[in-house]
Amino acid sequence: MSDQGGTDREPRRLTGRQRLAAGLWPPRVTRAQLIVAVLLFGLGLGLAIQVRSNNDDSALRGARQEDLVRILDELDDRTQRLEDEKQSLDDQRTELETSSDQAEEARKQTREKEQQLGILAGTVAAEGPGITLTVADGSDTVEPDMLLDTIQELRAAGAEAIQINDVRVVANTYFSGTGGDIQVDGKRVTAPYRFKVIGKPQDLEPALNIPGGVVQTLEKEQATATVARAEKIIVNALRPARRPDYAQSSAQ
């Protein structure tokens, strides 16, 4: 018992909750615990990346054999075209560097480039080896998206100039309408749909005839698709050359 005038007091007792809080905060992290936390974080990150990679590959794992063959063929074709384009650019650079009249050589290459751009824009006629694809649709079952898919397959196979009936196909060509009433760039085309395509026939024809490709898809819709190679295809449907309203050359 303390004296009445004394100041001694018994120390305040902490509750169980207060002792637990005092033990947890501030946190006391040892070096070993920190290393373990970093390792666990790295392991979790690796597992997340592996799961994502497996999910990305699942689409290819579930693809049909003919689809995988088509994808590989398209990749091989695109790789070859890029290699050819690189070689062509290297040859042009060499000609410019070694030509005795570099100004004339530059003008020559400019004219050739102008012709190439005109072919792509559809403002000049073109001729060369290629194929014709004739699609007969007596039941009006061929839809615009099927013709668009055909164009995409041809482009992926290296088509350089395409014409459907009397309409030139260019980069911004669009399809609309319904079966039996299809418009290409707003112009009505009727069956049979005749594609004239300039490109390497050895690439174009197999691209259309692969299992699950354009020809089989059209035949499932009771349409008849016939592909024929030719040494000379003439694409002579032209697009009007339009002057841009706002864009101007930035060359000084």
Side-chain angles (χ1 to χ4, degrees):
M1 178 180 299
S2 63
D3 296 337
Q4 293 181 355
T7 60
D8 296 339
R9 295 181 180 178
E10 294 182 0
R12 183 170 61 91
R13 294 184 177 181
L14 300 177
T15 64
R17 180 177 299 177
Q18 290 172 332
R19 287 197 299 274
L20 178 60
L24 294 176
W25 189 264
R28 300 177 181 85
V29 180
T30 66
R31 183 177 180 181
Q33 291 173 330
L34 182 60
I35 293 174
V36 171
V38 172
L39 291 176
L40 289 175
F41 175 78
L43 178 61
L45 181 61
L47 289 174
I49 294 174
Q50 181 64 34
V51 169
R52 182 173 181 178
S53 176
N54 291 339
N55 290 337
D56 292 341
D57 294 340
S58 60
L60 291 178
R61 290 197 184 100
R64 298 176 302 174
Q65 182 177 0
E66 54 266 25
D67 293 334
L68 293 175
V69 171
R70 175 172 58 84
I71 292 172
L72 288 175
D73 288 342
E74 290 179 358
L75 289 175
D76 290 341
D77 293 341
R78 290 175 184 175
T79 301
Q80 185 60 49
R81 288 197 298 275
L82 289 174
E83 289 291 339
D84 294 342
E85 183 176 356
K86 177 179 178 297
Q87 184 61 47
S88 176
L89 292 174
D90 289 340
D91 294 342
Q92 291 179 12
R93 182 184 63 184
T94 302
E95 290 176 2
L96 283 173
E97 292 174 348
T98 59
S99 175
S100 58
D101 189 348
Q102 295 185 358
E104 179 59 30
E105 183 63 31
R107 285 191 291 270
K108 175 185 174 184
Q109 292 190 14
T110 299
R111 289 192 296 269
E112 292 176 352
K113 179 61 71 174
E114 183 180 2
Q115 283 292 109
Q116 294 171 2
L117 293 176
I119 291 173
L120 294 176
T123 57
V124 299
E127 65 178 46
I131 64 168
T132 58
L133 168 65
T134 304
V135 180
D137 181 28
S139 302
D140 294 339
T141 56
V142 174
E143 296 290 337
D145 61 326
M146 299 178 187
L147 299 184
L148 177 59
D149 290 341
T150 303
I151 295 296
Q152 300 289 24
E153 289 288 348
L154 291 169
R155 284 173 171 165
E160 298 177 352
I162 306 175
Q163 176 177 329
I164 302 178
N165 291 8
D166 57 349
V167 180
R168 184 71 168 267
V169 176
V170 293
N172 60 350
T173 290
Y174 66 92
F175 295 78
S176 58
T178 58
D181 184 21
I182 295 179
Q183 293 88 42
V184 181
D185 292 337
K187 185 173 183 179
R188 188 171 186 269
V189 294
T190 58
Y193 308 110
R194 182 176 174 85
F195 293 73
K196 294 196 291 184
V197 187
I198 296 177
K200 188 176 180 181
Q202 295 86 343
D203 293 338
L204 297 173
E205 182 182 9
L208 298 178
N209 283 312
I210 61 174
V214 169
V215 172
Q216 282 194 0
T217 300
L218 291 171
E219 289 177 347
K220 288 180 181 178
E221 299 297 329
Q222 287 75 51
T224 302
T226 304
V227 182
R229 300 186 186 187
E231 291 297 325
K232 183 178 181 180
I233 297 290
I234 298 177
V235 174
N236 53 12
L238 301 180
R239 312 278 295 215
R242 296 181 178 178
R243 181 183 297 274
D245 295 327
Y246 304 102
Q248 298 179 0
S249 173
S250 60
Q252 299 296 328

